[in-house]
Amino acid sequence: MRALPLPFSALLLSALVALTGCVGASGRAGLTSDAPAFDVARAFVGASAGEGRLKIAFRRTRPVHVESSGHRAEDGTIVVDQVITEPGRKTSTRQWRLREVAPGRYAGSLSDATGPVEGVVRGNCLELRFRMKGDLTARQWLFAMPDGRTVQNRMSIRKSGILVARMRETITRRD
């Protein structure tokens, strides 16, 4: 395999640095605390609505609205059905399934994921990790807020280790 000429390599590196800058910071600062402890059932069982902003590299930030309805299955799995609406795009649906496999540890699935979903609770934060189509990896940090009705969602999506998208969302219980 032939090495890339130096000017092209420098251009590629500059583009990757710019790409990372285009999606901005995660916005997790100040959200982490020891209490309230993240309660997966409290956060996801019942009706909720999310209002978010999705930033994909080299694209305009766009609003995202998510309606969720969750329940606990007989085996204890938390099942959440979601309807996602983005202006100018076709409405889509997805389903999450999460089950506690050890204290503070979760395993499950997401209809958008290409493999398993893994989660861990630390204080007021549930961190989820999973892979998506197109060799993308996603990390999501969900923070329970002191009011007991609100969850702050921060998500980052990477391709080959390079940050390509960020999502910031406020999820509010409806019931």
Side-chain angles (χ1 to χ4, degrees):
M1 183 172 172
R2 199 173 85 191
L4 296 173
L6 183 57
F8 182 78
S9 298
L11 180 63
L12 180 60
L13 180 59
S14 295
L16 292 176
V17 169
L19 175 68
T20 302
C22 285
V23 293
S26 69
R28 291 181 280 142
L31 294 175
T32 303
S33 71
D34 292 333
F38 196 97
D39 180 336
V40 173
R42 172 85 179 127
F44 300 127
V45 172
S48 63
E51 296 296 335
R53 311 264 314 147
L54 176 63
K55 174 60 178 152
I56 299 173
F58 303 117
R59 295 186 188 169
R60 289 184 181 191
T61 300
R62 63 180 186 241
V64 177
H65 177 79
V66 181
E67 289 289 330
S68 299
S69 176
H71 68 277
R72 187 184 299 269
E74 285 184 26
D75 68 355
T77 300
I78 304 294
V79 180
V80 182
D81 293 302
Q82 296 182 315
V83 177
I84 302 96
T85 307
E86 297 178 57
R89 294 183 175 264
K90 182 181 173 190
T91 298
S92 62
T93 61
R94 68 176 163 232
Q95 184 180 78
W96 291 87
R97 298 180 70 82
L98 292 173
R99 190 168 58 89
E100 191 170 28
V101 294
R105 295 210 168 279
Y106 290 82
S109 63
L110 170 62
S111 56
D112 291 356
T114 58
V117 173
E118 296 177 350
V120 63
V121 171
R122 291 184 196 91
N124 72 326
C125 180
L126 169 64
E127 181 182 347
L128 299 171
R129 294 176 184 230
F130 52 94
R131 297 187 72 74
M132 300 170 67
K133 292 177 186 172
D135 195 32
L136 299 171
T137 56
R139 286 181 70 183
Q140 217 169 340
W141 297 268
L142 297 133
F143 298 92
M145 296 291 97
D147 66 5
R149 300 185 52 77
T150 308
V151 172
Q152 292 294 328
N153 176 19
R154 302 297 185 262
M155 182 176 186
S156 67
I157 300 172
R158 294 178 181 271
K159 181 162 180 94
S160 302
I162 305 297
L163 184 63
V164 295
R166 287 223 188 259
M167 170 81 159
R168 294 177 70 140
E169 176 188 27
T170 299
I171 303 166
T172 307
R173 290 185 62 81
R174 297 248 175 152
D175 51 356

